[in-house]
Amino acid sequence: FLFLGRLVTNIGDSIYYVAAMWLVYDLGGNAFYSGLAGFLTMLPMALQFLTGPFVDRWPIKKVLISTQLLQCFLIFLIPLTYYFDVLTVQLVLIIMPIVSFIEQFAYPAQTKALPIVLKKDDLVKGNSLFSFAYQGVDLVFNAISGILIVSFGAITLFLADSITFAVATLLFAVLKFPKQAIKRSNQKKTAKDVIKSYTRELKEGFSIVFHSLLATFLLGSVLCNFAIGAAQAVLPAYADYQGGAQWYGFYLAALSIGSLIGALISSLFGKLP
């Protein structure tokens, strides 16, 4: 159920991202809006290090269910406002970063759930399946979402997307965690203790990163992500120039293929200095 929930969540995210970026470009009429949408969507991802300590303390099942319900409701607002003829590019630009912010709690919560529901010997297999769900679903649904936009329209895709998050909510609702894990998650602490503990763990995280080789890779990562972010911002306009939304899906699928191949062959580089 955890894997199926992850799979459905990933399908929803893939459809949402393609449909939202195209809708923003379509409503705004130029690449500035899609660039702004890309920035607003990725900004919460850059702040994910702030959400980890919260997820570590909150009841795991409640986080899994509430994040899916919130995304379901927010995404449903887009077809709803379209139906009443009040949909604007500004509204989509507001909803996009909020949905992205909620995701920063959803994915760490799913990762946290893995060692709770799996034995230690099964963790590698579980992580591999999670990785496959993320990259594989992105690859397939990025490719077909563009075609679906041409066939049914972006608004219909948002309606279908809202349903996927409702399904994910139901799948996470039937999860059963060991009693020990639930007790640990539900331990009561004062607000002062929580803030003090959160600050301490955040400092520890920074210390680990910046006093290790990880710090060396940060600059390279920033430059690579800048290039990818810039490319994704202009993709809707470029795809429109090439022939329409289906090309946007294909270009995003090409990015996913690169990520998938990179993940598959990365172990080969382990033999190199």
Side-chain angles (χ1 to χ4, degrees):
F1 285 117
L2 182 64
F3 174 70
L4 286 174
R6 166 77 168 207
L7 204 62
V8 174
T9 301
N10 285 135
I11 290 170
D13 286 342
S14 297
I15 294 172
Y16 162 74
Y17 183 77
V18 177
M21 289 291 283
W22 186 261
L23 184 62
V24 165
Y25 172 73
D26 194 41
L27 290 171
N30 62 59
F32 167 77
Y33 288 102
S34 55
L36 182 60
F39 167 74
L40 292 173
T41 304
M42 290 178 184
L43 185 62
M45 297 178 193
L47 302 174
Q48 193 180 75
F49 68 93
L50 295 171
T51 64
F54 287 113
V55 173
D56 207 34
R57 272 166 180 71
W58 292 343
I60 186 72
K61 191 170 179 176
K62 286 183 180 177
V63 174
L64 288 170
I65 293 171
S66 59
T67 52
Q68 302 310 301
L69 272 176
L70 283 168
Q71 289 181 93
C72 174
F73 169 73
L74 286 166
I75 288 168
F76 181 69
L77 286 177
I78 292 175
L80 187 67
T81 53
Y82 176 80
Y83 178 79
F84 288 105
D85 200 26
V86 290
L87 179 64
T88 62
V89 68
Q90 289 83 3
L91 179 66
V92 182
L93 288 171
I94 290 168
I95 290 174
M96 285 185 75
I98 297 173
V99 171
S100 181
F101 179 71
I102 295 168
E103 284 174 11
Q104 309 320 307
F105 293 91
Y107 285 120
Q110 292 168 23
T111 305
K112 180 191 172 184
L114 259 188
I116 296 174
V117 299
L118 294 179
K119 294 176 182 176
K120 191 176 180 181
D121 294 342
D122 295 326
L123 271 176
V124 173
K125 187 187 289 186
N127 277 314
S128 297
L129 282 170
F130 263 32
S131 182
F132 165 77
Y134 186 77
Q135 300 289 355
V137 165
D138 257 9
L139 170 60
V140 174
F141 280 87
N142 281 349
I144 68 171
S145 291
I147 298 170
L148 292 173
I149 289 172
V150 173
S151 304
F152 303 104
I155 301 299
T156 306
L157 248 64
F158 277 108
L159 194 59
D161 197 22
S162 182
I163 294 169
T164 64
F165 285 110
V167 172
T169 303
L170 294 174
L171 288 167
F172 289 141
V174 297
L175 276 174
K176 292 181 180 178
F177 293 107
K179 288 181 180 178
Q180 297 92 329
I182 295 169
K183 283 178 183 176
R184 278 202 306 271
S185 295
N186 291 335
Q187 284 178 342
K188 300 290 182 183
K189 289 185 177 181
T190 65
K192 188 178 179 181
D193 288 337
V194 170
I195 293 168
K196 192 182 291 184
S197 180
Y198 174 82
T199 307
R200 186 183 68 249
E201 288 187 12
L202 208 57
K203 286 179 180 176
E204 284 175 4
F206 275 109
S207 179
I208 289 167
V209 171
F210 289 105
H211 290 88
S212 69
L213 279 172
L214 285 171
T216 311
F217 297 111
L218 282 178
L219 181 61
S221 297
V222 167
L223 291 172
C224 287
N225 282 315
F226 172 78
I228 293 168
Q232 287 184 328
V234 298
L235 266 186
Y238 184 68
D240 189 37
Y241 174 75
Q242 292 293 333
Q246 72 272 22
W247 285 102
Y248 181 52
F250 292 147
Y251 289 138
L252 286 176
L255 285 170
S256 298
I257 289 170
S259 298
L260 199 59
I261 292 171
L264 290 171
I265 68 170
S266 60
S267 59
L268 301 175
F269 292 92
K271 298 172 185 178
L272 301 173

